[in-house]
Amino acid sequence: MSPVNQRIQWAKPLIALLVIVHILPIWIFKYLPSQDGPAHVYNAYILNAIPSIESTLLQTYYEVNLTLFPNWISHIVLAGLMYIVPPLIAEKILLSLIIGLLPISFFYFLHCSVKKDNREVKIGFSLYGFFGFLFSYHYLLHMGFCNFSLFVSLYFFTMGYFLQQHAAMTLNRSAIPKLSFLLLLCIMTYFWHILSFALVLLSLTLFLIVKFYPAPNEKTKIGYHSFERSLQY
């Protein structure tokens, strides 16, 4: 077995083990102390309960706003989970997704950042994804910013997908599914958080500028060096 394959075999179980270890505190302790977390659970509970005929008191004071604005995703996920599990368990599932997906998305992004033809470098570079575990319990998570915390993973998945597929994203008909999926990912970031949507668009724009900006030819280099020497005198 080659050293590359050996590295793959021990890395995957280790990643799975670390994901489980990082999620365990969410389920061992009853609550995760956060600033806005309880507000998200409360809002999701209202969204879950207000359609019920018995919720006349809630319907008196609350009205569901179906406007397509950001910060929807965490409430929809929590409200949907509350049809199956209690609110506290629904929050734990959401937090588990936030914590577990962050390092996984980072691994995916790094894996897609290296060309396929250099497999050993690709795998070695991907191992830097272990640093993603250091940021699983980041500051924004403790602030209770669930939507933005979810976006971090979606950002790396989106950028990784773009880096992996951008060469095939042409104006041909065969590229429509890939472009459509990328567009769907970008739209999803809007419903996660408005700043996340702007960050994804900015990242994609910068990548396209760097990728397609023409490289300097020999004449340009010679002219630049001549200009540099003239400044020295």
Side-chain angles (χ1 to χ4, degrees):
M1 184 181 296
S2 65
V4 175
N5 292 331
Q6 289 180 351
R7 195 179 303 177
I8 295 175
Q9 286 196 344
W10 70 257
K12 289 183 178 179
L14 181 59
I15 293 171
L17 177 62
L18 287 174
V19 169
I20 294 173
V21 169
H22 279 72
I23 292 175
L24 273 179
I26 299 297
W27 297 92
I28 292 175
F29 300 99
K30 189 173 183 180
Y31 303 107
L32 174 71
S34 64
Q35 178 175 289
D36 292 353
H40 287 287
V41 177
Y42 176 71
N43 293 335
Y45 175 78
I46 293 175
L47 285 174
N48 175 274
I50 203 170
S52 175
I53 301 176
E54 301 174 355
S55 303
T56 54
L57 182 61
L58 289 177
Q59 294 171 3
T60 303
Y61 293 97
Y62 293 98
E63 180 181 354
V64 178
N65 185 1
L66 297 178
T67 305
L68 299 178
F69 53 82
N71 285 23
W72 256 98
I73 296 298
S74 67
H75 297 94
I76 293 177
V77 172
L78 285 172
L81 289 172
M82 287 178 190
Y83 284 104
I84 307 171
V85 295
L88 187 60
I89 302 300
E91 183 190 25
K92 289 181 179 295
I93 294 174
L94 179 66
L95 292 173
S96 299
L97 289 174
I98 293 173
I99 294 168
L101 287 177
L102 194 151
I104 293 174
S105 65
F106 195 41
F107 275 110
Y108 175 75
F109 171 74
L110 292 174
H111 181 75
C112 297
S113 300
V114 183
K115 294 181 179 180
K116 296 180 180 179
D117 53 356
N118 199 337
R119 190 162 179 258
E120 186 170 356
V121 174
K122 188 182 188 75
I123 295 171
F125 189 62
S126 299
L127 293 180
Y128 286 105
F130 284 104
F131 286 104
F133 289 103
L134 299 176
F135 301 97
S136 293
Y137 287 87
H138 49 80
Y139 172 74
L140 296 177
L141 179 63
H142 287 283
M143 290 295 292
F145 299 163
C146 295
N147 288 290
F148 197 87
S149 298
L150 274 170
F151 152 72
V152 176
S153 301
L154 182 62
Y155 173 81
F156 285 119
F157 280 127
T158 303
M159 295 306 300
Y161 177 78
F162 177 73
L163 291 174
Q164 187 180 49
Q165 302 291 340
H166 75 275
M169 292 180 182
T170 60
L171 298 179
N172 298 330
R173 184 175 298 178
S174 59
I176 292 178
K178 293 182 175 63
L179 289 170
S180 300
F181 186 68
L182 179 64
L183 179 61
L184 176 63
L185 290 174
C186 293
I187 293 174
M188 288 173 62
T189 60
Y190 170 80
F191 291 106
W192 253 259
H193 198 280
I194 188 63
L195 291 179
S196 66
F197 179 67
L199 183 58
V200 166
L201 292 184
L202 178 62
S203 300
L204 293 175
T205 303
L206 289 176
F207 178 85
L208 290 173
I209 292 174
V210 173
K211 181 68 177 179
F212 296 104
Y213 188 80
N217 52 31
E218 291 300 323
K219 291 183 178 180
T220 306
K221 292 180 181 179
I222 294 172
Y224 173 77
H225 290 306
S226 300
F227 176 72
E228 186 179 20
R229 285 195 297 270
S230 66
L231 291 178
Q232 294 176 354
Y233 294 102

